[in-house]
Amino acid sequence: MALHPILLKTLNMVTYITAISTIVFFRDFITDALAGHPNYLTNSTVGFIIPALNWFLLGGFIFFQWLDFAHDVVVEAVDWHLFVSNLIIAAWVLTWRFHWLIIGQILLVINAILIWRLYIKVRVFTATNLIDYAFIHISFSLYTGLVWLDVFQNFFAAFTTKDGGPTSWAAIGAAGAIFLLLAIGEYHAEFSRDPDSWSAIAIALMILSISVEQGSDVPVVFITSLVSVGWLVGALVRRALKNVAIWHERAQDDVYVGERRPLLG
């Protein structure tokens, strides 16, 4: 049974504040914990800009969800997924605090599935204004790209090290994870039933951040990252050109119809 809209929006707000508060409160601990687990999928500090932007946009969603234009998408698409996701993020922080790393990994996989399902349902709705587009559609598109990155990065931070060197299985596995992220981004950019650039952009920027952090000293990760970013940029350009071609074709059809329309009547 669907939750009452007011209860649903309140839960979204309360759990968002809970997740943000938990992240902020344990920020130093999480930073130190991740720094103490160097691995081949760690991104540079610049890479934290994209997740920070995403949480900012989600904060905007929490505010704008109360407005009339957002009512249907919140009740029918976002539904219970976001507040459960917020609770998972808060719980994930605690799993690092208490060293429940396997549980934390399972939670992030569940979170990725939840956000993916939310994203698919949100994509059914067309943005009605710029606020709707930015704080609902873009925010959940970015989030959908980032949750899969979270899954891989948490796994490598929790269960791998750099002890084997840049030719170790850990480095090769990181390159494989980047290729999987490339596949997810490529799916969003070109092969999805409803292609979407924003999730692919988030993945491309985070992969670029990984390449910057690992550097040429880890050639298998560095080269894989650059190839993946180049491929995703190409996919985004191809999609943009395809959209321009579709727009031009529709414009030509409108002109043709307009020329054939009778002058009277």
Side-chain angles (χ1 to χ4, degrees):
M1 181 181 294
L3 295 173
H4 190 280
I6 294 179
L7 174 61
L8 175 61
K9 295 172 184 179
T10 301
L11 287 172
N12 286 338
M13 180 178 65
V14 171
T15 55
Y16 173 82
I17 294 172
T18 300
I20 290 293
S21 300
T22 305
I23 292 171
V24 171
F25 184 79
F26 288 103
R27 180 184 58 186
D28 292 339
F29 167 79
I30 291 297
T31 300
D32 293 341
L34 294 178
H37 290 75
N39 63 88
Y40 291 109
L41 215 60
T42 302
N43 56 262
S44 68
T45 53
V46 177
F48 291 106
I49 294 175
I50 302 301
L53 173 62
N54 182 231
W55 281 103
F56 168 77
L57 291 175
L58 287 174
F61 166 78
I62 295 301
F63 176 79
F64 291 114
Q65 69 170 338
W66 299 95
L67 302 184
D68 290 341
F69 71 81
H71 179 81
D72 289 344
V73 69
V74 172
V75 173
E76 298 179 25
V78 176
D79 201 8
W80 52 271
H81 298 82
L82 181 61
F83 79 79
V84 173
S85 173
N86 290 334
L87 292 176
I88 286 176
I89 294 301
W92 168 79
V93 174
L94 296 178
T95 62
W96 274 90
R97 177 67 180 84
F98 296 105
H99 302 286
W100 300 334
L101 301 184
I102 295 177
I103 295 176
Q105 187 64 35
I106 293 172
L107 288 176
L108 287 185
V109 171
I110 294 172
N111 187 54
I113 295 171
L114 280 177
I115 295 300
W116 182 280
R117 189 169 186 270
L118 181 160
Y119 167 80
I120 291 174
K121 295 175 74 174
V122 166
R123 293 290 290 175
V124 173
F125 292 81
T126 301
T128 57
N129 54 58
L130 187 58
I131 293 176
D132 186 346
Y133 182 65
F135 292 99
I136 298 178
H137 288 77
I138 292 181
S139 64
F140 289 120
S141 291
L142 291 177
Y143 203 8
T144 302
L146 293 174
V147 290
W148 296 108
L149 189 86
D150 290 341
V151 169
F152 289 117
Q153 286 190 316
N154 185 81
F155 177 85
F156 276 83
F159 306 114
T160 70
T161 67
K162 285 189 169 184
D163 292 345
T167 59
S168 64
W169 284 110
I172 295 172
I178 290 170
F179 270 129
L180 288 176
L181 289 169
L182 165 63
I184 294 171
E186 173 71 6
Y187 168 79
H188 282 296
E190 293 194 280
F191 295 107
S192 171
R193 188 177 300 177
D194 183 18
D196 171 35
S197 298
W198 291 106
S199 54
I201 289 172
I203 291 173
L205 290 175
M206 294 304 296
I207 292 177
L208 181 61
S209 177
I210 291 171
S211 71
V212 170
E213 177 64 20
Q214 301 303 324
S216 57
D217 293 337
V218 192
V220 65
V221 173
F222 186 70
I223 295 172
T224 302
S225 299
L226 292 183
V227 170
S228 298
V229 171
W231 189 285
L232 285 175
V233 170
L236 292 169
V237 170
R238 287 192 297 272
R239 180 165 183 264
L241 292 175
K242 185 180 294 186
N243 286 342
V244 170
I246 292 172
W247 175 84
H248 180 71
E249 183 178 347
R250 289 176 178 173
Q252 291 297 105
D253 289 344
D254 290 342
V255 170
Y256 178 72
V257 171
E259 290 176 346
R260 295 197 57 179
R261 185 177 293 125
L263 295 177
L264 299 176

